[in-house]
Amino acid sequence: MSSESKKGIAPPLIDLPIHTASRGFYDGFSRQVTIPAKIIVTLIILWAIFFPVQANETLTAANSTIIASFTGWYVYLVAALMASCAVLAIIPQVGRMRIGAADEGPEFGRLSWFSMLFGAGIGIGMLTYSTGEPLAHFSNNPEIITGEVGARSAEAVHSAYLYTFLHWGFAAWGTYALVGLAIGYVAYRRGLPLTVRSALAPLFGRTMSGPLGHVFDVVAVVATILGVAVTMGLGVEQFVVGLSRIGLGDWLLDADGSSSLAAIVVALTVLVGASTLSALSGVGKGIKWLSNINLGLSFLLLLLFAVVGSGLYALELLGSGLVDYLAHIVPLSLTIFNDSGPVGEELVTWQRDWSVFYWAWWIAFAPFVGMFIARISRGRTIREYVLGVVLVPSLVCFVWMTLLGGTAIALELDGSAAGTIVNAPMADQLYATLAVLLDPGVAMVVSGLIVLLLMTYLVTSADSAILIINTINGAGETEGERRRHILFWGAALALIVGSMLVLGGIEAIRITMIIGALPFSFVVALMCISIIKAIWFDLIRKSQGVPTTAAAIESSAD
């Protein structure tokens, strides 16, 4: 009898074979994952293009049913993900464990690591919602609905930021961190493929090599495409509005202020084309350098608002917002409104339109961002990883939104904007803020900077997503020669975004994403259970002298 058997616990699984083709067009790829994922995405595109009326009606009906039935599921799942991250970081024995071998150092420096987190994570959303979200909650939020404060009043500002922080803080980054940890932990400690199914191996073992594992990976690919489509859709809308603001022609916008078909086609062709070229250069080259450019341009924009915007007011909002957020994060994260009472229906609608949409968005975005974070976080301790991925980006989001959004609100409160910012479409509110804040010539130059920043964020998000999809389809292959399907996924992403924008604007993309996120939400729940089990069992193995990493197991076998 082996010593492991006597001690009562076996070493972890360090081999999870995933069949890939050895020749032909799919050489190096899992046909059982790649082909079904391509078929599903293609059918969505064809449906939106050739049956737009039916697609719109079906999507709207399905969205209403899903949102009504699964509000509680999304709310409690995201709360559980945040709590799990906190526990894993706090427990000393867990926090010291490394995502990789015990003596392995990080591949990327902290600055590049943080910049890549932002570029792939929420860069585009932060530009669109930097003014849009605080202004929306300044006009309507639960405290305004219940009559506690007046809409667009000074008293409404604090509650506006409470809900802004709720949506862009620990919930988003806790979801990403948990998924990334579940994937990276087993990939870099146990030598399993860098793919979604590997994260479930601690629960299901070698079963993940077969059809069930294929299903999990297909669901992850489809969720990734739809989650990134929301981000791309938001970015394209703001990109086109920005081009119009800097004087590139009236053809960019339709009469209602939305992007014209020609503008959508041109923007997506340029942006996704650049993304595809960048994806061909890999994470260490194109994406890394683009991410560093993003960070630099973002800092310049923040510096501008700090100097000429409402810096002191933003600092006050940041302080009070943080206190409110930390004091209320637990009850707010567990609150589910019901339709009883005179304003119950309005509260339910608000929660579904905002909180539940965000939780679905973060979950749909999680396979992409989680895989990407895992890819760039090898060698870090669990505590450093959780603190880096959850706390630091959340704080930067808060600073960003109080500085840019706070300036917009201050201009509305003192009468300078006279409603031109708060009444503008969300894609135009940041540019509208600059138009009030700066001289026309300077505002045009800064708007050009934002257009450039949007372009780099869009390219970074799209090429990162394409590479991650290829990694899942390639059974965890992360580098080099097996990238021939990049062109397909780049085109698919462009067509999904373009067809949905034409079908029903950003709302059609939001609805499609919420529907697509539901299957992956169950996968995320299983990943949460799986990583807790993996770490708990590794602590037991360590206490009993059983090896916990692939290198240690192979060494003990020699």
Side-chain angles (χ1 to χ4, degrees):
M1 182 179 290
S2 68
S3 59
E4 289 80 16
S5 298
K6 289 178 181 178
K7 291 170 182 173
I9 189 167
L13 177 70
I14 61 170
D15 181 35
L16 189 69
I18 302 173
H19 177 73
T20 56
S22 57
R23 57 189 176 84
F25 184 73
Y26 289 96
D27 180 26
F29 283 78
S30 168
R31 289 194 181 98
Q32 293 86 349
V33 175
T34 310
I35 294 175
K38 284 184 174 181
I39 290 172
I40 293 170
V41 170
T42 301
L43 288 175
I44 293 173
I45 293 169
L46 294 176
W47 187 40
I49 292 174
F50 293 108
F51 304 97
V53 176
Q54 182 193 53
N56 199 20
E57 291 174 351
T58 304
L59 286 174
T60 302
N63 176 63
S64 299
T65 302
I66 287 173
I67 288 291
S69 303
F70 290 95
T71 293
W73 166 247
Y74 279 125
V75 168
Y76 292 136
L77 174 59
V78 171
L81 299 177
M82 287 191 284
S84 298
C85 283
V87 170
L88 292 175
I90 290 170
I91 298 175
Q93 301 95 315
V94 175
R96 290 192 293 268
M97 296 174 76
R98 198 168 290 274
I99 306 172
D103 57 350
E104 192 171 2
E107 179 180 358
F108 299 102
R110 281 200 176 96
L111 183 61
S112 290
W113 186 50
F114 286 137
S115 66
M116 283 190 279
L117 288 177
F118 289 116
I122 55 174
I124 298 169
M126 282 210 320
L127 278 175
T128 302
Y129 284 97
S130 58
T131 51
E133 175 123 4
L135 285 170
H137 299 327
F138 177 56
S139 302
N140 190 41
N141 69 56
E143 291 187 18
I144 293 172
I145 293 171
T146 56
E148 296 174 51
V149 295
R152 300 186 181 181
S153 66
E155 292 75 22
V157 177
H158 290 296
S159 58
Y161 272 99
L162 175 61
Y163 290 104
T164 298
F165 286 10
L166 173 70
H167 295 151
W168 289 86
F170 301 163
W173 291 97
T175 301
Y176 299 158
L178 195 286
V179 171
L181 180 61
I183 295 169
Y185 186 87
V186 297
Y188 297 132
R189 286 181 66 89
R190 301 181 178 183
L192 302 186
L194 188 71
T195 187
V196 170
R197 73 173 76 189
S198 294
L200 298 169
L203 280 182
F204 299 106
R206 295 187 184 276
T207 307
M208 288 295 94
S209 290
L212 185 60
H214 302 329
V215 170
F216 286 137
D217 279 349
V218 170
V219 168
V221 170
V222 175
T224 297
I225 282 287
L226 297 179
V228 173
V230 172
T231 302
M232 291 288 291
L234 290 169
V236 167
E237 287 279 348
Q238 194 172 25
F239 181 74
V240 171
V241 171
L243 293 177
S244 176
R245 279 276 184 177
I246 62 177
L248 293 192
D250 296 335
W251 63 277
L252 292 162
L253 300 176
D254 288 332
D256 62 357
S258 62
S259 301
S260 67
L261 176 59
I264 292 170
V265 171
V266 170
L268 285 173
T269 300
V270 172
L271 294 168
V272 177
S275 304
T276 304
L277 292 175
S278 178
L280 291 169
S281 68
V283 173
K285 296 178 183 177
I287 296 175
K288 177 181 176 181
W289 285 108
L290 278 172
S291 298
N292 287 335
I293 292 171
N294 293 342
L295 193 64
L297 291 175
S298 299
F299 179 76
L300 284 177
L301 187 61
L302 272 179
L303 186 62
L304 172 73
F305 272 85
V307 173
V308 301
S310 304
L312 291 177
Y313 182 57
L315 189 61
E316 177 192 335
L317 289 177
L318 178 64
S320 62
L322 276 173
V323 171
D324 286 347
Y325 176 58
L326 294 175
H328 294 91
I329 184 171
V330 174
L332 282 181
S333 298
L334 298 173
T335 294
I336 300 175
F337 293 120
N338 60 65
D339 56 9
S340 63
V343 295
E345 205 167 305
E346 200 174 344
L347 288 170
V348 168
T349 300
W350 182 91
Q351 185 172 41
R352 291 173 181 174
D353 288 346
W354 286 99
S355 300
V356 177
F357 160 68
Y358 274 121
W359 298 171
W361 188 9
W362 303 148
I363 289 168
F365 221 41
F368 153 49
V369 182
M371 284 273 292
F372 188 77
I373 292 174
R375 169 67 183 83
I376 63 176
S377 300
R378 182 170 187 166
R380 301 192 182 277
T381 65
I382 290 177
R383 181 173 295 111
E384 180 188 18
Y385 169 88
V386 171
L387 294 178
V389 175
V390 177
L391 294 184
V392 177
S394 294
L395 183 58
V396 173
C397 286
F398 299 159
V399 171
W400 182 276
M401 290 193 161
T402 51
L403 198 50
L404 275 65
T407 297
I409 288 175
L411 292 172
E412 288 290 354
L413 286 175
D414 68 16
S416 301
T420 58
I421 300 174
V422 73
N423 293 323
M426 186 176 288
D428 192 35
Q429 285 178 331
L430 182 54
Y431 303 114
T433 303
L434 293 172
V436 176
L437 189 64
L438 305 171
D439 292 332
V442 179
M444 183 176 289
V445 171
V446 178
S447 295
L449 171 68
I450 293 172
V451 169
L452 178 61
L453 181 57
L454 264 172
M455 184 172 68
T456 57
Y457 270 133
L458 282 161
V459 171
T460 306
S461 292
D463 63 11
S464 301
I466 292 167
L467 283 178
I468 291 306
I469 288 169
N470 251 18
T471 299
I472 297 173
N473 290 333
E477 175 64 40
T478 60
E479 298 295 345
E481 304 146 1
R482 295 170 178 171
R483 298 204 195 110
R484 63 175 62 90
H485 299 271
I486 283 175
L487 292 175
F488 172 87
W489 292 112
L493 186 56
L495 288 170
I496 282 278
V497 175
S499 62
M500 291 297 169
L501 284 176
V502 173
L503 176 66
I506 195 64
E507 186 61 25
I509 301 179
R510 285 165 55 115
I511 291 172
T512 309
M513 179 276 299
I514 288 172
I515 296 169
L518 183 61
F520 192 71
S521 69
F522 296 104
V523 179
V524 171
L526 291 172
M527 293 172 85
C528 183
I529 298 169
S530 183
I531 185 59
I532 292 172
K533 178 186 176 184
I535 292 172
W536 178 254
F537 275 51
D538 277 355
L539 289 174
I540 297 174
R541 290 184 181 102
K542 185 177 179 181
S543 70
Q544 297 183 0
V546 178
T548 61
T549 64
I553 292 170
E554 290 165 358
S555 176
S556 65
D558 293 339

